[in-house]
Amino acid sequence: STVSQLGLMFLAMGVGAYTSGVFHVTTHAFFKACLFLGSGSVIHAMGGEQDIRNMGGLKKWMSITFITFLLSSIAIAGVPPFSGFFSKDEILAHVFEANKLLWVIGSLASFLTAFYMFRLVFLTFFGSFRGTHEQEHHLHESPATITIPLIILAVLAVVGGLMGIPEIPELYSFPHWLNHYLAPIFPHAEGHEHLAVYTEFALMGLATTLALIGIGIAYSLYVSKQQLPAKEGELKGFAALVYDKYRVDELYNAIFVKPIAALSSTLFTIVDKALIDGQLVEGTAGLSMNLVKRIRSLQSGNIGFYLLVMVVAISLILRTFLFKLNKG
């Protein structure tokens, strides 16, 4: 979900709608923080359980968490007049001006956001409880230290979009709080031509319709039909491919990780173990030890041997001295 919203922000950057990107960063901070903390509240009530297939019906026990989570989910889905609608609509409007194909991709991402966020809402808070009896026995609303921040963030998720209501000069004009925020860095950050009124409303209507369709599909599947997402081992075909992230990790592992690991292992065996450790380090150490053993053998403690060495040494010295004297 966060990666998807970051994708919209970078989409805004790509078409030069810098203010819109910052606007969505701001609204996203409101509803995504609330969703994260709401998830923590649910996990706290469930005693650490994080699989939504083992939840259900939690709104009965966790009304504050449910309401705040629902409001933030509506916001991230882009339903008006919640904050996410205004920031997403502004991005998609600028993208529509720049590139229609990118606008289609952004709209599809927004539709999927609405679907999977409400899949989460419906499976977690609606229907009957699917966990264990022990988990159900301990279900409770979180304490005020958790619910008060949720309430504050939910309020911001609802009204935060008012800081950037889209301006339609033919009908109304509201001050956009972020309109000149980036002017010191990008003087023309907000310099986009306004769309025609009918185009602006058409884009708003289409974005809202897609969000409601996504929510409706999620409701049909997970509330009306009471379906559950398939477990990991049960996925097949394209669903399994998507769940495995298109097997990008496996491909990367085969192309880069395994060859580099094999090369590293080979170099370690040949260069490090055989050459450096075997020849340089151990070879030098062995040579030094052999030399030391031979020198140490001279220090036998035998006085007669010492006297012999001394006499031989003196004789050699005298011989050398006399040789030089005679030569001179």
Side-chain angles (χ1 to χ4, degrees), residues 115-144:
F115 170 74
Y116 62 65
M117 287 308 305
F118 273 85
R119 179 181 70 168
L120 170 61
V121 170
F122 293 141
L123 288 176
T124 304
F125 295 100
F126 285 72
S128 57
F129 185 70
R130 297 180 297 274
T132 65
H133 177 72
E134 182 68 20
Q135 288 174 326
E136 183 176 9
H137 178 71
H138 289 91
L139 287 174
H140 62 282
E141 182 60 273
S142 298

PDB file of all heavy atoms in Angstrom, residues 115-144:
ATOM      1  N   PHE A 115      -9.772  -1.437  -3.600  1.00  0.00           N
ATOM      2  CA  PHE A 115     -10.158  -2.844  -3.447  1.00  0.00           C
ATOM      3  C   PHE A 115      -9.440  -3.498  -2.290  1.00  0.00           C
ATOM      4  O   PHE A 115     -10.067  -4.071  -1.394  1.00  0.00           O
ATOM      5  CB  PHE A 115      -9.879  -3.611  -4.737  1.00  0.00           C
ATOM      6  CG  PHE A 115     -10.016  -5.096  -4.585  1.00  0.00           C
ATOM      7  CD1 PHE A 115     -11.260  -5.681  -4.488  1.00  0.00           C
ATOM      8  CD2 PHE A 115      -8.887  -5.904  -4.495  1.00  0.00           C
ATOM      9  CE1 PHE A 115     -11.395  -7.060  -4.318  1.00  0.00           C
ATOM     10  CE2 PHE A 115      -9.009  -7.272  -4.339  1.00  0.00           C
ATOM     11  CZ  PHE A 115     -10.265  -7.851  -4.244  1.00  0.00           C
ATOM     12  N   TYR A 116      -8.096  -3.424  -2.263  1.00  0.00           N
ATOM     13  CA  TYR A 116      -7.387  -4.195  -1.243  1.00  0.00           C
ATOM     14  C   TYR A 116      -7.489  -3.572   0.147  1.00  0.00           C
ATOM     15  O   TYR A 116      -7.400  -4.279   1.149  1.00  0.00           O
ATOM     16  CB  TYR A 116      -5.932  -4.471  -1.625  1.00  0.00           C
ATOM     17  CG  TYR A 116      -5.009  -3.296  -1.806  1.00  0.00           C
ATOM     18  CD1 TYR A 116      -4.667  -2.469  -0.755  1.00  0.00           C
ATOM     19  CD2 TYR A 116      -4.420  -3.060  -3.046  1.00  0.00           C
ATOM     20  CE1 TYR A 116      -3.795  -1.404  -0.932  1.00  0.00           C
ATOM     21  CE2 TYR A 116      -3.544  -2.012  -3.233  1.00  0.00           C
ATOM     22  CZ  TYR A 116      -3.226  -1.182  -2.171  1.00  0.00           C
ATOM     23  OH  TYR A 116      -2.359  -0.143  -2.340  1.00  0.00           O
ATOM     24  N   MET A 117      -7.707  -2.255   0.229  1.00  0.00           N
ATOM     25  CA  MET A 117      -7.894  -1.665   1.548  1.00  0.00           C
ATOM     26  C   MET A 117      -9.220  -2.097   2.151  1.00  0.00           C
ATOM     27  O   MET A 117      -9.316  -2.368   3.357  1.00  0.00           O
ATOM     28  CB  MET A 117      -7.816  -0.136   1.467  1.00  0.00           C
ATOM     29  CG  MET A 117      -6.413   0.419   1.249  1.00  0.00           C
ATOM     30  SD  MET A 117      -5.178  -0.196   2.428  1.00  0.00           S
ATOM     31  CE  MET A 117      -5.934   0.232   3.983  1.00  0.00           C
ATOM     32  N   PHE A 118     -10.248  -2.187   1.330  1.00  0.00           N
ATOM     33  CA  PHE A 118     -11.545  -2.603   1.885  1.00  0.00           C
ATOM     34  C   PHE A 118     -11.637  -4.118   2.005  1.00  0.00           C
ATOM     35  O   PHE A 118     -12.468  -4.624   2.773  1.00  0.00           O
ATOM     36  CB  PHE A 118     -12.690  -2.008   1.066  1.00  0.00           C
ATOM     37  CG  PHE A 118     -13.059  -0.643   1.555  1.00  0.00           C
ATOM     38  CD1 PHE A 118     -12.366   0.472   1.105  1.00  0.00           C
ATOM     39  CD2 PHE A 118     -14.029  -0.475   2.524  1.00  0.00           C
ATOM     40  CE1 PHE A 118     -12.663   1.735   1.585  1.00  0.00           C
ATOM     41  CE2 PHE A 118     -14.348   0.776   3.014  1.00  0.00           C
ATOM     42  CZ  PHE A 118     -13.659   1.899   2.548  1.00  0.00           C
ATOM     43  N   ARG A 119     -10.829  -4.848   1.293  1.00  0.00           N
ATOM     44  CA  ARG A 119     -10.697  -6.269   1.614  1.00  0.00           C
ATOM     45  C   ARG A 119     -10.193  -6.419   3.040  1.00  0.00           C
ATOM     46  O   ARG A 119     -10.689  -7.245   3.813  1.00  0.00           O
ATOM     47  CB  ARG A 119      -9.733  -6.952   0.640  1.00  0.00           C
ATOM     48  CG  ARG A 119      -9.522  -8.431   0.939  1.00  0.00           C
ATOM     49  CD  ARG A 119      -8.553  -9.097  -0.002  1.00  0.00           C
ATOM     50  NE  ARG A 119      -7.181  -8.646   0.201  1.00  0.00           N
ATOM     51  CZ  ARG A 119      -6.120  -9.243  -0.334  1.00  0.00           C
ATOM     52  NH1 ARG A 119      -6.276 -10.278  -1.135  1.00  0.00           N
ATOM     53  NH2 ARG A 119      -4.911  -8.783  -0.103  1.00  0.00           N
ATOM     54  N   LEU A 120      -9.210  -5.589   3.391  1.00  0.00           N
ATOM     55  CA  LEU A 120      -8.675  -5.592   4.752  1.00  0.00           C
ATOM     56  C   LEU A 120      -9.754  -5.206   5.764  1.00  0.00           C
ATOM     57  O   LEU A 120      -9.910  -5.862   6.806  1.00  0.00           O
ATOM     58  CB  LEU A 120      -7.487  -4.623   4.830  1.00  0.00           C
ATOM     59  CG  LEU A 120      -6.928  -4.306   6.213  1.00  0.00           C
ATOM     60  CD1 LEU A 120      -6.413  -5.557   6.887  1.00  0.00           C
ATOM     61  CD2 LEU A 120      -5.819  -3.263   6.093  1.00  0.00           C
ATOM     62  N   VAL A 121     -10.505  -4.149   5.471  1.00  0.00           N
ATOM     63  CA  VAL A 121     -11.550  -3.684   6.392  1.00  0.00           C
ATOM     64  C   VAL A 121     -12.622  -4.749   6.581  1.00  0.00           C
ATOM     65  O   VAL A 121     -13.004  -5.085   7.718  1.00  0.00           O
ATOM     66  CB  VAL A 121     -12.185  -2.374   5.864  1.00  0.00           C
ATOM     67  CG1 VAL A 121     -13.433  -2.019   6.694  1.00  0.00           C
ATOM     68  CG2 VAL A 121     -11.186  -1.240   5.902  1.00  0.00           C
ATOM     69  N   PHE A 122     -13.114  -5.315   5.486  1.00  0.00           N
ATOM     70  CA  PHE A 122     -14.216  -6.273   5.576  1.00  0.00           C
ATOM     71  C   PHE A 122     -13.795  -7.569   6.262  1.00  0.00           C
ATOM     72  O   PHE A 122     -14.543  -8.122   7.072  1.00  0.00           O
ATOM     73  CB  PHE A 122     -14.763  -6.562   4.180  1.00  0.00           C
ATOM     74  CG  PHE A 122     -15.444  -5.382   3.539  1.00  0.00           C
ATOM     75  CD1 PHE A 122     -15.287  -5.112   2.181  1.00  0.00           C
ATOM     76  CD2 PHE A 122     -16.226  -4.525   4.287  1.00  0.00           C
ATOM     77  CE1 PHE A 122     -15.916  -4.032   1.589  1.00  0.00           C
ATOM     78  CE2 PHE A 122     -16.856  -3.427   3.713  1.00  0.00           C
ATOM     79  CZ  PHE A 122     -16.691  -3.180   2.358  1.00  0.00           C
ATOM     80  N   LEU A 123     -12.601  -8.069   5.937  1.00  0.00           N
ATOM     81  CA  LEU A 123     -12.155  -9.318   6.552  1.00  0.00           C
ATOM     82  C   LEU A 123     -11.811  -9.154   8.030  1.00  0.00           C
ATOM     83  O   LEU A 123     -11.938 -10.101   8.802  1.00  0.00           O
ATOM     84  CB  LEU A 123     -10.938  -9.863   5.800  1.00  0.00           C
ATOM     85  CG  LEU A 123     -11.196 -10.439   4.415  1.00  0.00           C
ATOM     86  CD1 LEU A 123      -9.895 -10.841   3.745  1.00  0.00           C
ATOM     87  CD2 LEU A 123     -12.139 -11.641   4.488  1.00  0.00           C
ATOM     88  N   THR A 124     -11.395  -7.962   8.410  1.00  0.00           N
ATOM     89  CA  THR A 124     -10.993  -7.742   9.798  1.00  0.00           C
ATOM     90  C   THR A 124     -12.167  -7.391  10.696  1.00  0.00           C
ATOM     91  O   THR A 124     -12.290  -7.933  11.807  1.00  0.00           O
ATOM     92  CB  THR A 124      -9.936  -6.619   9.869  1.00  0.00           C
ATOM     93  OG1 THR A 124      -8.832  -6.951   9.033  1.00  0.00           O
ATOM     94  CG2 THR A 124      -9.449  -6.423  11.301  1.00  0.00           C
ATOM     95  N   PHE A 125     -13.046  -6.517  10.235  1.00  0.00           N
ATOM     96  CA  PHE A 125     -14.057  -5.953  11.129  1.00  0.00           C
ATOM     97  C   PHE A 125     -15.479  -6.449  10.857  1.00  0.00           C
ATOM     98  O   PHE A 125     -16.358  -6.249  11.691  1.00  0.00           O
ATOM     99  CB  PHE A 125     -14.041  -4.422  11.030  1.00  0.00           C
ATOM    100  CG  PHE A 125     -12.757  -3.801  11.513  1.00  0.00           C
ATOM    101  CD1 PHE A 125     -11.791  -3.387  10.620  1.00  0.00           C
ATOM    102  CD2 PHE A 125     -12.515  -3.657  12.873  1.00  0.00           C
ATOM    103  CE1 PHE A 125     -10.606  -2.812  11.063  1.00  0.00           C
ATOM    104  CE2 PHE A 125     -11.338  -3.084  13.330  1.00  0.00           C
ATOM    105  CZ  PHE A 125     -10.382  -2.660  12.429  1.00  0.00           C
ATOM    106  N   PHE A 126     -15.725  -7.072   9.711  1.00  0.00           N
ATOM    107  CA  PHE A 126     -17.080  -7.511   9.382  1.00  0.00           C
ATOM    108  C   PHE A 126     -17.185  -9.035   9.494  1.00  0.00           C
ATOM    109  O   PHE A 126     -16.185  -9.736   9.641  1.00  0.00           O
ATOM    110  CB  PHE A 126     -17.455  -7.062   7.966  1.00  0.00           C
ATOM    111  CG  PHE A 126     -17.763  -5.595   7.859  1.00  0.00           C
ATOM    112  CD1 PHE A 126     -16.752  -4.653   7.958  1.00  0.00           C
ATOM    113  CD2 PHE A 126     -19.058  -5.154   7.680  1.00  0.00           C
ATOM    114  CE1 PHE A 126     -17.018  -3.292   7.871  1.00  0.00           C
ATOM    115  CE2 PHE A 126     -19.349  -3.795   7.581  1.00  0.00           C
ATOM    116  CZ  PHE A 126     -18.317  -2.864   7.676  1.00  0.00           C
ATOM    117  N   GLY A 127     -18.438  -9.517   9.400  1.00  0.00           N
ATOM    118  CA  GLY A 127     -18.665 -10.960   9.467  1.00  0.00           C
ATOM    119  C   GLY A 127     -18.544 -11.492  10.883  1.00  0.00           C
ATOM    120  O   GLY A 127     -18.677 -10.763  11.879  1.00  0.00           O
ATOM    121  N   SER A 128     -18.285 -12.779  10.979  1.00  0.00           N
ATOM    122  CA  SER A 128     -18.140 -13.435  12.284  1.00  0.00           C
ATOM    123  C   SER A 128     -16.669 -13.671  12.590  1.00  0.00           C
ATOM    124  O   SER A 128     -15.836 -13.739  11.687  1.00  0.00           O
ATOM    125  CB  SER A 128     -18.892 -14.768  12.292  1.00  0.00           C
ATOM    126  OG  SER A 128     -18.414 -15.610  11.245  1.00  0.00           O
ATOM    127  N   PHE A 129     -16.402 -13.820  13.870  1.00  0.00           N
ATOM    128  CA  PHE A 129     -15.015 -13.998  14.298  1.00  0.00           C
ATOM    129  C   PHE A 129     -14.523 -15.391  13.881  1.00  0.00           C
ATOM    130  O   PHE A 129     -15.194 -16.402  14.105  1.00  0.00           O
ATOM    131  CB  PHE A 129     -14.909 -13.824  15.810  1.00  0.00           C
ATOM    132  CG  PHE A 129     -13.495 -13.879  16.319  1.00  0.00           C
ATOM    133  CD1 PHE A 129     -12.599 -12.860  16.040  1.00  0.00           C
ATOM    134  CD2 PHE A 129     -13.055 -14.967  17.060  1.00  0.00           C
ATOM    135  CE1 PHE A 129     -11.290 -12.912  16.500  1.00  0.00           C
ATOM    136  CE2 PHE A 129     -11.754 -15.022  17.525  1.00  0.00           C
ATOM    137  CZ  PHE A 129     -10.867 -13.998  17.241  1.00  0.00           C
ATOM    138  N   ARG A 130     -13.319 -15.448  13.277  1.00  0.00           N
ATOM    139  CA  ARG A 130     -12.782 -16.703  12.763  1.00  0.00           C
ATOM    140  C   ARG A 130     -11.559 -17.195  13.553  1.00  0.00           C
ATOM    141  O   ARG A 130     -10.936 -18.184  13.157  1.00  0.00           O
ATOM    142  CB  ARG A 130     -12.390 -16.529  11.286  1.00  0.00           C
ATOM    143  CG  ARG A 130     -13.561 -16.196  10.379  1.00  0.00           C
ATOM    144  CD  ARG A 130     -13.120 -16.036   8.932  1.00  0.00           C
ATOM    145  NE  ARG A 130     -12.203 -14.913   8.774  1.00  0.00           N
ATOM    146  CZ  ARG A 130     -12.588 -13.653   8.584  1.00  0.00           C
ATOM    147  NH1 ARG A 130     -13.889 -13.362   8.530  1.00  0.00           N
ATOM    148  NH2 ARG A 130     -11.697 -12.695   8.448  1.00  0.00           N
ATOM    149  N   GLY A 131     -11.230 -16.502  14.619  1.00  0.00           N
ATOM    150  CA  GLY A 131     -10.080 -16.910  15.417  1.00  0.00           C
ATOM    151  C   GLY A 131     -10.445 -17.977  16.426  1.00  0.00           C
ATOM    152  O   GLY A 131     -11.532 -18.571  16.391  1.00  0.00           O
ATOM    153  N   THR A 132      -9.550 -18.219  17.357  1.00  0.00           N
ATOM    154  CA  THR A 132      -9.779 -19.234  18.387  1.00  0.00           C
ATOM    155  C   THR A 132     -10.669 -18.683  19.496  1.00  0.00           C
ATOM    156  O   THR A 132     -10.841 -17.467  19.643  1.00  0.00           O
ATOM    157  CB  THR A 132      -8.437 -19.688  18.982  1.00  0.00           C
ATOM    158  OG1 THR A 132      -7.830 -18.577  19.669  1.00  0.00           O
ATOM    159  CG2 THR A 132      -7.492 -20.174  17.888  1.00  0.00           C
ATOM    160  N   HIS A 133     -11.206 -19.597  20.291  1.00  0.00           N
ATOM    161  CA  HIS A 133     -12.048 -19.193  21.423  1.00  0.00           C
ATOM    162  C   HIS A 133     -11.232 -18.391  22.434  1.00  0.00           C
ATOM    163  O   HIS A 133     -11.738 -17.438  23.040  1.00  0.00           O
ATOM    164  CB  HIS A 133     -12.645 -20.431  22.092  1.00  0.00           C
ATOM    165  CG  HIS A 133     -13.474 -20.108  23.300  1.00  0.00           C
ATOM    166  ND1 HIS A 133     -14.720 -19.515  23.209  1.00  0.00           N
ATOM    167  CD2 HIS A 133     -13.213 -20.269  24.643  1.00  0.00           C
ATOM    168  CE1 HIS A 133     -15.207 -19.346  24.433  1.00  0.00           C
ATOM    169  NE2 HIS A 133     -14.312 -19.789  25.312  1.00  0.00           N
ATOM    170  N   GLU A 134      -9.982 -18.763  22.598  1.00  0.00           N
ATOM    171  CA  GLU A 134      -9.108 -18.046  23.535  1.00  0.00           C
ATOM    172  C   GLU A 134      -8.891 -16.609  23.061  1.00  0.00           C
ATOM    173  O   GLU A 134      -8.917 -15.665  23.865  1.00  0.00           O
ATOM    174  CB  GLU A 134      -7.759 -18.774  23.644  1.00  0.00           C
ATOM    175  CG  GLU A 134      -6.786 -18.154  24.628  1.00  0.00           C
ATOM    176  CD  GLU A 134      -7.243 -18.281  26.069  1.00  0.00           C
ATOM    177  OE1 GLU A 134      -8.094 -19.149  26.366  1.00  0.00           O
ATOM    178  OE2 GLU A 134      -6.746 -17.506  26.906  1.00  0.00           O
ATOM    179  N   GLN A 135      -8.679 -16.411  21.759  1.00  0.00           N
ATOM    180  CA  GLN A 135      -8.513 -15.056  21.226  1.00  0.00           C
ATOM    181  C   GLN A 135      -9.791 -14.246  21.387  1.00  0.00           C
ATOM    182  O   GLN A 135      -9.750 -13.072  21.762  1.00  0.00           O
ATOM    183  CB  GLN A 135      -8.121 -15.130  19.748  1.00  0.00           C
ATOM    184  CG  GLN A 135      -6.708 -15.621  19.505  1.00  0.00           C
ATOM    185  CD  GLN A 135      -6.410 -15.809  18.021  1.00  0.00           C
ATOM    186  OE1 GLN A 135      -7.298 -16.187  17.248  1.00  0.00           O
ATOM    187  NE2 GLN A 135      -5.168 -15.569  17.627  1.00  0.00           N
ATOM    188  N   GLU A 136     -10.922 -14.878  21.118  1.00  0.00           N
ATOM    189  CA  GLU A 136     -12.198 -14.174  21.241  1.00  0.00           C
ATOM    190  C   GLU A 136     -12.459 -13.754  22.684  1.00  0.00           C
ATOM    191  O   GLU A 136     -13.013 -12.681  22.951  1.00  0.00           O
ATOM    192  CB  GLU A 136     -13.334 -15.059  20.737  1.00  0.00           C
ATOM    193  CG  GLU A 136     -14.698 -14.387  20.755  1.00  0.00           C
ATOM    194  CD  GLU A 136     -15.777 -15.256  20.160  1.00  0.00           C
ATOM    195  OE1 GLU A 136     -15.497 -16.453  19.899  1.00  0.00           O
ATOM    196  OE2 GLU A 136     -16.906 -14.756  19.956  1.00  0.00           O
ATOM    197  N   HIS A 137     -12.040 -14.581  23.615  1.00  0.00           N
ATOM    198  CA  HIS A 137     -12.260 -14.294  25.035  1.00  0.00           C
ATOM    199  C   HIS A 137     -11.500 -13.041  25.474  1.00  0.00           C
ATOM    200  O   HIS A 137     -11.949 -12.322  26.383  1.00  0.00           O
ATOM    201  CB  HIS A 137     -11.838 -15.503  25.883  1.00  0.00           C
ATOM    202  CG  HIS A 137     -11.988 -15.288  27.348  1.00  0.00           C
ATOM    203  ND1 HIS A 137     -13.234 -15.217  27.966  1.00  0.00           N
ATOM    204  CD2 HIS A 137     -11.058 -15.107  28.338  1.00  0.00           C
ATOM    205  CE1 HIS A 137     -13.061 -15.009  29.263  1.00  0.00           C
ATOM    206  NE2 HIS A 137     -11.748 -14.959  29.520  1.00  0.00           N
ATOM    207  N   HIS A 138     -10.363 -12.764  24.828  1.00  0.00           N
ATOM    208  CA  HIS A 138      -9.528 -11.635  25.241  1.00  0.00           C
ATOM    209  C   HIS A 138      -9.702 -10.402  24.354  1.00  0.00           C
ATOM    210  O   HIS A 138      -8.964  -9.426  24.524  1.00  0.00           O
ATOM    211  CB  HIS A 138      -8.045 -12.046  25.243  1.00  0.00           C
ATOM    212  CG  HIS A 138      -7.690 -12.991  26.346  1.00  0.00           C
ATOM    213  ND1 HIS A 138      -7.740 -14.359  26.188  1.00  0.00           N
ATOM    214  CD2 HIS A 138      -7.300 -12.763  27.627  1.00  0.00           C
ATOM    215  CE1 HIS A 138      -7.381 -14.944  27.325  1.00  0.00           C
ATOM    216  NE2 HIS A 138      -7.106 -13.996  28.211  1.00  0.00           N
ATOM    217  N   LEU A 139     -10.644 -10.424  23.407  1.00  0.00           N
ATOM    218  CA  LEU A 139     -10.835  -9.262  22.544  1.00  0.00           C
ATOM    219  C   LEU A 139     -11.341  -8.067  23.346  1.00  0.00           C
ATOM    220  O   LEU A 139     -12.220  -8.188  24.197  1.00  0.00           O
ATOM    221  CB  LEU A 139     -11.841  -9.593  21.439  1.00  0.00           C
ATOM    222  CG  LEU A 139     -11.341 -10.511  20.326  1.00  0.00           C
ATOM    223  CD1 LEU A 139     -12.471 -10.876  19.384  1.00  0.00           C
ATOM    224  CD2 LEU A 139     -10.201  -9.846  19.560  1.00  0.00           C
ATOM    225  N   HIS A 140     -10.770  -6.900  23.080  1.00  0.00           N
ATOM    226  CA  HIS A 140     -11.138  -5.683  23.797  1.00  0.00           C
ATOM    227  C   HIS A 140     -10.649  -4.474  23.023  1.00  0.00           C
ATOM    228  O   HIS A 140      -9.758  -4.592  22.188  1.00  0.00           O
ATOM    229  CB  HIS A 140     -10.510  -5.676  25.197  1.00  0.00           C
ATOM    230  CG  HIS A 140      -9.007  -5.698  25.172  1.00  0.00           C
ATOM    231  ND1 HIS A 140      -8.289  -6.856  24.931  1.00  0.00           N
ATOM    232  CD2 HIS A 140      -8.089  -4.702  25.306  1.00  0.00           C
ATOM    233  CE1 HIS A 140      -6.995  -6.570  24.948  1.00  0.00           C
ATOM    234  NE2 HIS A 140      -6.832  -5.275  25.162  1.00  0.00           N
ATOM    235  N   GLU A 141     -11.259  -3.328  23.289  1.00  0.00           N
ATOM    236  CA  GLU A 141     -10.778  -2.089  22.689  1.00  0.00           C
ATOM    237  C   GLU A 141      -9.459  -1.689  23.335  1.00  0.00           C
ATOM    238  O   GLU A 141      -9.213  -1.971  24.507  1.00  0.00           O
ATOM    239  CB  GLU A 141     -11.820  -0.974  22.877  1.00  0.00           C
ATOM    240  CG  GLU A 141     -11.437   0.364  22.246  1.00  0.00           C
ATOM    241  CD  GLU A 141     -11.224   0.253  20.750  1.00  0.00           C
ATOM    242  OE1 GLU A 141     -10.088  -0.078  20.347  1.00  0.00           O
ATOM    243  OE2 GLU A 141     -12.187   0.529  19.994  1.00  0.00           O
ATOM    244  N   SER A 142      -8.601  -1.067  22.561  1.00  0.00           N
ATOM    245  CA  SER A 142      -7.297  -0.652  23.063  1.00  0.00           C
ATOM    246  C   SER A 142      -7.443   0.512  24.036  1.00  0.00           C
ATOM    247  O   SER A 142      -8.445   1.242  24.004  1.00  0.00           O
ATOM    248  CB  SER A 142      -6.393  -0.246  21.899  1.00  0.00           C
ATOM    249  OG  SER A 142      -6.167  -1.344  21.041  1.00  0.00           O
ATOM    250  N   PRO A 143      -6.454   0.724  24.889  1.00  0.00           N
ATOM    251  CA  PRO A 143      -6.527   1.823  25.858  1.00  0.00           C
ATOM    252  C   PRO A 143      -6.425   3.176  25.174  1.00  0.00           C
ATOM    253  O   PRO A 143      -6.114   3.295  23.983  1.00  0.00           O
ATOM    254  CB  PRO A 143      -5.323   1.563  26.773  1.00  0.00           C
ATOM    255  CG  PRO A 143      -4.386   0.751  25.949  1.00  0.00           C
ATOM    256  CD  PRO A 143      -5.242  -0.097  25.075  1.00  0.00           C
ATOM    257  N   ALA A 144      -6.634   4.233  25.968  1.00  0.00           N
ATOM    258  CA  ALA A 144      -6.664   5.599  25.438  1.00  0.00           C
ATOM    259  C   ALA A 144      -5.341   6.007  24.817  1.00  0.00           C
ATOM    260  O   ALA A 144      -5.307   6.833  23.891  1.00  0.00           O
ATOM    261  CB  ALA A 144      -7.044   6.576  26.541  1.00  0.00           C
TER     262      ALA A 144
END
